[in-house]
Amino acid sequence: MGRDGQRPTSGFKYERIADAIRHDMLDNLLPNDILPSERELADRFGVSRMTVRAAIATLVSQGRVYNIQGSGTYVGSKEVLTKSAALTSFTEDMVARGLRPSSRVICAQRVAATGMIAHRLAVETGAACTHVRRLRLADEDPMALENVYFPAEVLPLEGVRLAESLYDQLAESGNEAFRSEQEITATVLDDETAGLLDVPEGSAALVVTRVSSTRRGRIIEYARTYYRADRYSFMTTVERESGER
Ligand code: GLP
């Protein structure tokens, strides 16, 4: 994918429609502008509403548009990256938006798990862990500061490629992240963290605490990531549980 976020035109019809909506419409609309209705888009591109729906779903997952149920589809902000509820890595999030991800490693070391870390990773106190602290950038702009602990046998420090996607490396060794328990809280940044993220001290941030496991339920990471609140929003879909009311 190019730096301008343009994917090569791909095979599926809905992907071609997603590309067309991106280039014909999104680039000419402002954040929070409403898109034409599903029916209008279907007529305009000469495709079924189902294809339009799939194209919109792709754009939602890329953070380019967002839906308000019963109201319509709106243009997302270019500045604020709207993250869908899907389990994704930082690398995937940036690539989906046509940005180039990179990392600045602040520390990478082998440590013995204590207290909260042992508890969250469900390992014995004193068990060997890999601790990685990285500043994550998109097109050279600092976006997030990650502080992640992995059980050492899941991600040993030796041989790890710290500048690259750690989720990819977990997947390569058969420990693909499949499920995460996540808590999102708000904070104001201290001097050091604000400096790294290149925002004024006291700026707002979203703190995402994530415990991830494999499909088989093996815990593979305990992460605390500080996301710049001026660049990120998190989108979730909520649904009434059947039987309620
Ligand atoms: C996000 C998550 C982290 C995860 C990271 C992996 O930042 N909040 O919990 O460790 O993605 O990203 P990558 O595969 O790009 O290293």
Side-chain angles (χ1 to χ4, degrees), residues 51-230:
T51 302
V52 168
R53 218 166 292 147
I56 299 281
T58 303
L59 295 168
V60 168
S61 73
Q62 293 171 354
R64 298 299 307 266
V65 301
Y66 61 94
N67 284 320
I68 298 184
Q69 207 166 359
S71 170
T73 303
Y74 295 82
V75 182
S77 160
K78 284 188 183 146
E79 284 297 307
V80 181
L81 304 180
T82 303
K83 190 163 164 19
S84 74
L87 171 53
T88 50
S89 68
F90 182 85
T91 301
E92 289 172 306
D93 288 344
M94 296 309 122
V95 169
R97 288 167 180 80
L99 302 169
R100 196 180 64 78
S102 62
S103 305
R104 201 178 108 202
V105 180
I106 295 162
C107 99
Q109 56 188 354
R110 191 179 158 101
V111 294
T114 53
M116 178 59 85
I117 297 156
H119 176 69
R120 294 292 186 113
L121 288 177
V123 296
E124 299 285 323
T125 303
C129 294
T130 301
H131 174 210
V132 179
R133 196 159 177 246
R134 296 185 302 173
L135 184 66
R136 307 303 305 270
L137 306 101
D139 282 356
E140 315 304 329
D141 273 348
M143 301 291 283
L145 182 69
E146 288 170 359
N147 201 31
V148 194
Y149 293 86
F150 305 90
E153 72 255 26
V154 169
L155 194 83
L157 192 55
E158 305 72 39
V160 68
R161 302 182 303 278
L162 291 165
E164 297 173 23
S165 165
L166 297 182
Y167 272 16
D168 280 356
Q169 292 169 71
L170 287 168
E172 280 163 20
S173 63
N175 289 306
E176 185 176 17
F178 175 71
R179 185 168 202 274
S180 294
E181 295 290 339
Q182 212 166 252
E183 184 184 11
I184 304 176
T185 52
T187 193
V188 289
L189 295 171
D190 62 26
D191 197 18
E192 190 218 348
T193 314
L196 289 167
L197 288 171
D198 199 20
V199 290
E201 182 185 353
S203 295
L206 298 164
V207 186
V208 178
T209 306
R210 184 185 269 196
V211 175
S212 306
S213 46
T214 62
R215 190 181 283 272
R216 296 180 149 197
R218 178 182 205 184
I219 296 181
I220 51 171
E221 75 163 342
Y222 165 47
R224 257 172 98 75
T225 306
Y226 289 76
Y227 289 93
R228 283 174 52 166
D230 61 333

